Amino acid sequence: MQVAVVGTGYVGLVTGTCLADSGNTVICLDIDAKKVSALNQSEIPIYEPGLEEMVQRNTAAGRLRFTTNATEAIQQAEIIFIAVGTPASNDGSADLSALWKVVDSIAACLPEHAIVVTKSTVPVGTCAGIERRLKERTGRDCRVASNPEFLKEGAAIDDFQKPDRVVVGVRTEADGEVLRSLYRPFLRTENPFLVMSPESSEMTKYVANAMLSTKISFINEVANLCERIEADVDDVRRGIGHDSRIGFAFLFPGAGYGGSCFPKDVQALASLAKENQSSSLILSAVHETNQKQKAILGMKVEKHFAGDIKGRRVAIWGLAFKPRTDDIRDAPAIELIDFLLSKGAHVAVFDPEAMENVRSKYGDRLSYASSGMDALKDADCLVVVTEWGDFRRPDFDAMAQHMKARVIIDGRNLYEPKELKRRGFTYHCIGKQPVFGASEDGRCTKTGM
């Protein structure tokens, strides 16, 4: 098939590349000429495992190319995906300004047979709005559908090529069959292709992200309570996770969720509920709980040092909002860095992929380490924020030699408290009682949260 993808951000680039890799001819359209030029040279602006090699292969084969020319991209397309950002507005609702600009730009060259498909996460009713807008500009009824993405950053190619399900919202059976044909190579294991109305499809995306966010906020609230009543959240998690009605997915306590999807989509769904005079008590609580959770690591640092943070050297491992990405949007590490800098701490950071994004935000206000161990030099404490594989089994003896004090605050519960206590570390994590290493004179110091 001839496919156009408008927008070469995370979703658009992955979508276009994976569709090209399954044999389609794909043109990706973007208004950023510098970015398009780089992509035509197979220079990838984001970090996603496997994506660079796949772009190179399909560009070389002639199945994938990038352009700033809307007519070139659209005029021969059978399917046109819109994959531009829909960030949160000040009131929490989705900002669709970029999407409407795309709709206006493609109207003049839109083929009569083409299907316009929203891949962006959009409020319920957006497809209907696109239908109306295109009719105003073209003078005819245009084919519009919804096809939300369910990609996890760091595993996006696998998610696209081996989806648990594909959801499409269409007005006609014929449009559904066109999209089914496009996705057939990815559904060979009999995973479902779910056809519904565009309104139900749009709602499905928001509800999926809101449910996952709810599970994260719920277990974080439970973890914080466990700390106060001397329970162990891992024991509790195992106790409930084996219930088949609950399961283990997204029941891992931590420093809160971030990224480009969960924070804005929870707020957007709450905003939609408010606009339609419907209750959004749970959604509002999920968002509020997560905002508080992202501050918890700073609180633990402050309490450990009894409020005396100024001049302390704090090392941070992990800056991206999750492993296997360089995305720092709404990342808990950013909240922590801002807090520490406001208190006068010296902050040394390391992340396998997100260093340049953080450097562009903070400049010389931070120390940028060449490795995790390098970040620990003379550190008063280490805060682990992102669960990169590099951090899961570190050399604790080497860490102790580098650090000024053996203090670890673990925002992802990566380590075994008993082992760290045996090695003389004071260890704080989420939802468990802290353990305290021995001070220089052999006594235990209990200054932590």
Side-chain angles (χ1 to χ4, degrees):
M1 289 187 181
Q2 300 282 335
V3 178
V5 179
V6 186
T8 59
Y10 186 85
V11 173
L13 188 54
V14 171
T15 297
T17 304
C18 288
L19 289 174
D21 202 57
S22 65
N24 300 288
T25 300
V26 179
I27 302 179
C28 292
L29 173 67
D30 201 288
I31 60 174
D32 187 334
K34 184 177 179 180
K35 185 179 184 182
V36 165
S37 177
L39 285 166
N40 276 317
Q41 301 300 316
S42 298
E43 297 174 11
I44 309 302
I46 59 173
Y47 175 74
E48 177 64 34
L51 183 58
E52 183 175 5
E53 184 275 333
M54 189 178 284
V55 169
Q56 290 173 349
R57 182 172 68 249
N58 286 282
T59 301
R63 291 188 297 267
L64 178 65
R65 68 183 192 275
F66 304 89
T67 186
T68 58
N69 187 316
T71 301
E72 177 189 355
I74 303 302
Q75 64 182 356
Q76 299 298 324
E78 300 168 74
I79 301 175
I80 301 156
F81 285 100
I82 299 178
V84 294
T86 54
S89 300
N90 291 335
D91 63 358
S93 63
D95 178 356
L96 301 183
S97 56
L99 180 137
W100 295 126
K101 287 180 182 178
V102 168
V103 172
D104 292 343
S105 70
I106 67 176
C109 49
L110 181 66
E112 288 193 24
H113 64 275
I115 305 175
V116 176
V117 183
T118 56
K119 202 71 174 164
S120 304
T121 301
V122 294
V124 177
T126 300
C127 275
I130 294 173
E131 291 168 0
R132 291 191 297 271
R133 196 157 179 139
L134 285 175
K135 186 169 185 177
E136 290 172 1
R137 283 153 177 73
T138 64
R140 66 178 190 268
D141 291 328
C142 297
R143 302 164 75 182
V144 179
S146 166
N147 173 217
E149 54 85 16
F150 300 101
L151 305 178
K152 298 187 295 292
E153 291 192 38
I157 291 173
D158 225 30
D159 286 345
F160 195 100
Q161 295 183 328
K162 302 171 185 175
D164 347 359
R165 82 287 199 198
V166 173
V167 173
V168 299
V170 294
R171 299 293 183 206
T172 68
E173 185 176 333
D175 288 355
E177 286 306 309
V178 172
L179 292 172
R180 187 190 300 272
S181 177
L182 180 69
Y183 277 104
R184 188 166 288 120
F186 310 113
L187 297 170
R188 299 180 66 184
T189 55
E190 304 302 324
N191 285 342
F193 182 84
L194 305 175
V195 181
M196 56 191 71
S197 71
E199 289 75 19
S200 294
S201 174
E202 291 163 341
M203 188 65 167
T204 295
K205 168 64 177 180
Y206 277 117
V207 173
N209 281 354
M211 176 58 76
L212 298 175
S213 302
T214 300
K215 292 187 75 173
I216 295 170
S217 285
F218 175 76
I219 198 64
N220 282 336
E221 279 206 339
V222 169
N224 295 338
L225 179 58
C226 283
E227 288 187 32
R228 287 159 176 75
I229 60 176
E230 299 189 8
D232 185 318
V233 72
D234 274 346
D235 290 339
V236 175
R237 184 178 60 84
R238 287 192 293 268
I240 65 173
H242 285 289
D243 186 324
S244 60
R245 298 168 299 176
I246 298 173
F248 285 99
F250 286 79
L251 282 184
F252 292 91
Y257 57 76
S260 63
C261 293
F262 286 7
K264 75 176 182 66
D265 290 353
V266 168
Q267 292 181 79
L269 190 56
S271 177
L272 180 67
K274 184 178 180 180
E275 290 171 11
N276 289 275
Q277 293 79 50
S278 182
S279 172
S280 64
L281 295 177
I282 292 176
L283 295 170
S284 299
V286 167
H287 176 68
E288 182 181 349
T289 297
N290 190 63
Q291 291 303 103
K292 289 181 178 179
Q293 194 69 15
K294 289 201 292 186
I296 199 167
L297 295 179
M299 293 169 56
K300 286 180 179 289
V301 173
E302 187 171 43
K303 188 162 186 177
H304 175 82
F305 292 112
D308 182 20
I309 299 178
K310 187 174 182 179
R312 301 277 186 182
R313 184 175 174 88
V314 179
I316 296 178
W317 281 3
L319 303 170
F321 85 94
K322 63 178 286 187
R324 295 170 63 86
T325 181
D326 60 355
D327 193 342
I328 61 170
R329 286 174 288 183
D330 272 317
I334 301 304
E335 179 102 9
L336 174 62
I337 290 170
D338 288 344
F339 173 79
L340 294 173
L341 291 177
S342 74
K343 296 294 183 178
H346 300 298
V347 183
V349 299
F350 177 72
D351 186 284
E353 295 296 337
M355 294 287 275
E356 287 309 310
N357 288 338
V358 169
R359 191 190 300 272
S360 68
K361 180 177 178 65
Y362 291 99
D364 60 5
R365 298 170 67 197
L366 307 178
S367 296
Y368 302 93
S370 59
S371 66
M373 205 62 70
D374 182 43
L376 297 181
K377 290 178 182 177
D378 298 320
D380 290 288
C381 76
L382 163 66
V383 186
V384 182
V385 188
T386 313
E387 63 272 36
W388 284 94
D390 309 45
F391 306 149
R392 288 185 177 277
R393 296 186 64 82
D395 184 338
F396 291 114
D397 292 334
M399 290 170 65
Q401 292 175 8
H402 279 72
M403 297 178 74
K404 184 177 179 180
R406 300 185 187 189
V407 179
I408 297 175
I409 297 171
D410 183 357
R412 299 299 170 185
N413 289 7
L414 298 185
Y415 309 130
E416 172 52 52
K418 290 180 181 178
E419 179 183 2
L420 288 177
K421 182 176 182 179
R422 180 175 61 82
R423 293 175 179 273
F425 282 87
T426 292
Y427 180 63
H428 307 271
C429 56
I430 308 293
K432 301 183 181 187
Q433 295 301 298
V435 298
F436 304 96
S439 64
E440 290 182 2
D441 59 5
R443 294 177 299 173
C444 281
T445 56
K446 293 195 175 183
T447 58
M449 187 173 180

